[in-house]
């Protein structure tokens, strides 16, 4: 499958530089938080292990062509800049984004709408309370991938270079940094990118991740213009699903009592989820797509065309949290597709 188990140190890559330069030329908002940090030497992560989750996989087969899609939906307003402290500590300065959002340690400090997520904080980040404390903004609280699930996905995505197109506060990027040689983590929000880097530092993996403030669609479009772009083996897509109300479904479809209405890929942001997938496939056949548990399975299958897709249910305890859909060489029995153009 062409996967590489060795790891190497990440600096800012030619690709990152190219993209940043392109952004500068276009006067678009982009910045990188990849400047080297002295003494960024947190604990070395343990060798990756397979996480045991109550999961099941079911390959789906189909052959429907994927339709062309409408124009991108309006992008969310962008924040322009973020100030982050570089804190002097024994052993060198460390990146610390503590000023950007509150780190809660007691439920009494937590706003009502975040209480449910706060009670799961150690499932989200097992090192949540390790100084200076993991940081999440509102969107991070409701959309970060719980750590065991992130580790499970990272294990399946073991490769040389992975692109996390919507890294949020870093849950998946941190896990990928423990199984992949190089992680390119994008987010359109400078705040969330700073929080991701802060959290990655707590896990001792910040120096293995290239954090790039960029809109994913612009990033891949820019990359397509490069004469000789760096190979990206896998793209991980965990886009916004439209907020915590995604479970209410995205249409007036009828459902049986007690069931959640179906979620359609057309509700994915910033563009229709089928379009997002097809644009990503222009870069690599190997896509891991993190989707709501109530996503219409036939739509997931349709994306695969003549190939198979493997759908992994992500459980924590007795609760189904989400689906990860593995396409291309990531799907069981399709390893030969991993290095295909
Ligand atoms: P959830 O259903 O909001 O939480 O999200 P929970 O605790 O299962 O809610 P309950 O009321 O059913 O108990 C379940 C998981 O989906 C979260 O842990 C996140 O990993 C993921 N998730 C949720 N949202 C709203 C998003 C999103 O917008 N984008 C992405 N990528 N993941 C999300």
């Amino acid at each position: 499958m062409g996967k590489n188990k060795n790891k190497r140190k990440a600096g800012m890559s030619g690709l990152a530089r190219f993209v940043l330069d392109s952004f500068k030329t276009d006067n678009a908002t982009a910045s990188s938080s990849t400047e080297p940090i002295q003494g960024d030497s947190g604990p070395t992560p343990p060798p990756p292990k397979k996480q045991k989750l109550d999961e099941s996989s079911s390959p789906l087969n189909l052959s429907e062509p994927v339709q062309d899609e409408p124009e991108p939906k309006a992008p969310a307003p962008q924040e322009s800049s973020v100030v982050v402290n570089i804190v002097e500590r024994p052993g060198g300065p460390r990146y610390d984004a503590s000023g950007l959002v509150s780190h809660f340690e007691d439920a009494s400090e937590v706003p009502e709408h975040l209480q449910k997520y706060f009670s799961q904080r150690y499932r989200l980040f097992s090192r949540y309370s390790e100084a200076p404390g993991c940081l999440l903004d509102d969107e991070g609280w409701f959309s970060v991938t719980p750590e065991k699930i992130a580790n499970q996905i990272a294990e399946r995505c073991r490769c040389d270079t992975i692109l996390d197109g919507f890294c949020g506060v870093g849950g998946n990027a941190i896990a990928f940094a423990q199984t992949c040689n190089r992680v390119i983590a994008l987010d359109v929000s400078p705040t969330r990118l700073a929080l991701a880097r802060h959290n990655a530092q707590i896990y001792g993996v910040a120096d293995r991740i290239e954090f790039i403030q960029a809109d994913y669609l612009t990033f891949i479009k820019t990359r397509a213009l490069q004469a000789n772009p760096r190979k990206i083996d896998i793209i991980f897509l965990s886009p916004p699903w439209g907020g915590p109300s995604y479970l209410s479904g995205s249409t007036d479809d009828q459902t049986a009592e007690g069931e959640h209405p179906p979620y359609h890929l057309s509700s994915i942001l910033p563009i229709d989820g089928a379009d997002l997938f097809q644009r990503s496939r222009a870069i690599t056949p190997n896509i891991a797509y993190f989707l709501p548990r109530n996503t219409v399975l036939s739509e997931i299958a349709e994306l695969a065309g003549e190939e198979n897709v493997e759908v992994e249910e992500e459980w924590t305890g007795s609760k189904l949290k989400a689906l990860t859909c593995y396409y291309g060489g990531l799907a069981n029995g399709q390893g030969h597709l991993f290095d295909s153009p």
Side-chain angles (χ1 to χ4, degrees):
M1 219 148 110
K3 296 187 176 185
N4 188 339
K5 293 194 164 103
N6 298 326
K7 295 177 184 153
R8 57 197 152 86
K9 280 227 163 197
M12 194 194 306
S13 69
L15 172 61
R17 284 187 204 288
F18 173 85
V19 170
L20 287 168
D21 288 343
S22 312
F23 276 117
K24 280 174 198 148
T25 314
D26 293 341
N27 288 327
T29 309
S31 69
S32 164
S33 47
T34 52
E35 73 275 11
I37 296 179
Q38 303 293 313
D40 183 11
S41 57
T44 304
K49 287 188 234 144
K50 191 106 181 153
Q51 297 294 327
K52 276 220 174 259
L53 297 177
D54 307 332
E55 77 211 38
S56 69
S57 298
S58 59
L60 301 174
N61 221 339
L62 27 86
S63 52
E64 286 297 303
V66 179
Q67 312 250 326
D68 257 355
E69 22 14 65
E71 276 308 290
K73 298 165 193 166
Q78 295 189 11
E79 302 137 74
S80 53
S81 66
V82 164
V83 179
V84 176
N85 297 326
I86 304 294
V87 181
E88 291 292 338
R89 290 169 192 251
R94 288 172 67 92
Y95 186 86
D96 190 334
S98 295
L100 292 181
V101 294
S102 302
H103 171 80
F104 307 121
E105 275 299 332
D106 191 281
S108 64
E109 306 159 2
V110 182
E112 185 58 36
H113 67 287
L114 298 179
Q115 287 284 348
K116 158 179 133 175
Y117 307 104
F118 177 73
S119 64
Q120 304 176 42
R121 61 197 177 283
Y122 295 115
R123 277 197 177 156
L124 304 181
F125 287 112
S126 62
R127 299 193 189 182
Y128 178 82
S129 294
E130 204 167 291
C134 288
L135 297 175
L136 303 90
D137 64 351
D138 278 22
E139 188 166 330
W141 277 112
F142 67 68
S143 64
V144 68
T145 306
E147 187 171 305
K148 281 192 176 175
I149 295 175
N151 287 343
Q152 158 76 10
I153 297 169
E155 190 58 47
R156 292 212 39 174
C157 290
R158 196 173 271 277
C159 70
D160 185 43
T161 303
I162 189 163
L163 172 61
D164 181 353
F166 304 84
C167 81
V169 295
N172 292 101
I174 290 169
F176 291 138
Q178 297 170 61
T179 61
C180 302
N181 286 333
R182 181 69 57 100
V183 183
I184 304 169
L186 308 186
D187 205 280
V188 74
S189 156
T191 300
R192 268 192 299 285
L193 206 63
L195 302 182
R197 189 179 185 194
H198 172 104
N199 295 333
Q201 188 162 270
I202 290 173
Y203 280 78
V205 297
D207 60 343
R208 296 201 217 130
I209 305 172
E210 295 170 34
F211 295 96
I212 301 175
Q213 188 203 333
D215 161 64
Y216 174 70
L217 296 172
T218 311
F219 181 91
I220 57 174
K221 205 165 157 186
T222 307
R223 185 183 178 280
L225 300 174
Q226 281 185 279
N228 194 14
R230 179 166 52 137
K231 188 165 184 285
I232 289 172
D233 298 299
I234 297 175
I235 294 179
F236 177 66
L237 295 174
S238 179
W241 300 344
S245 62
Y246 75 92
L247 271 181
S248 317
S250 41
T251 64
D252 295 331
D253 295 338
Q254 298 298 310
T255 46
E257 206 180 316
E259 270 183 22
H260 292 297
Y263 181 90
H264 293 278
L265 291 178
S266 55
S267 298
I268 295 279
L269 297 169
I271 57 170
D272 184 307
D275 186 8
L276 184 69
F277 177 86
Q278 295 304 346
R279 293 190 195 197
S280 306
R281 284 275 277 203
I283 294 181
T284 173
N286 313 312
I287 309 284
Y289 207 166
F290 193 71
L291 291 169
R293 57 191 189 252
N294 53 334
T295 306
V296 178
L297 277 179
S298 61
E299 294 184 9
I300 291 173
E302 215 166 288
L303 297 179
E306 301 288 336
E307 298 173 9
N308 287 338
V309 51
E310 195 176 339
V311 180
E312 184 175 80
E313 294 183 336
E314 307 295 8
W315 293 78
T316 56
S318 60
K319 199 156 190 325
L320 177 58
K321 287 279 179 181
L323 306 175
T324 311
C325 307
Y326 296 98
Y327 293 89
L330 293 172
N332 198 12
Q334 289 186 162
H336 59 286
L337 296 178
F338 194 83
D339 286 319
S340 61

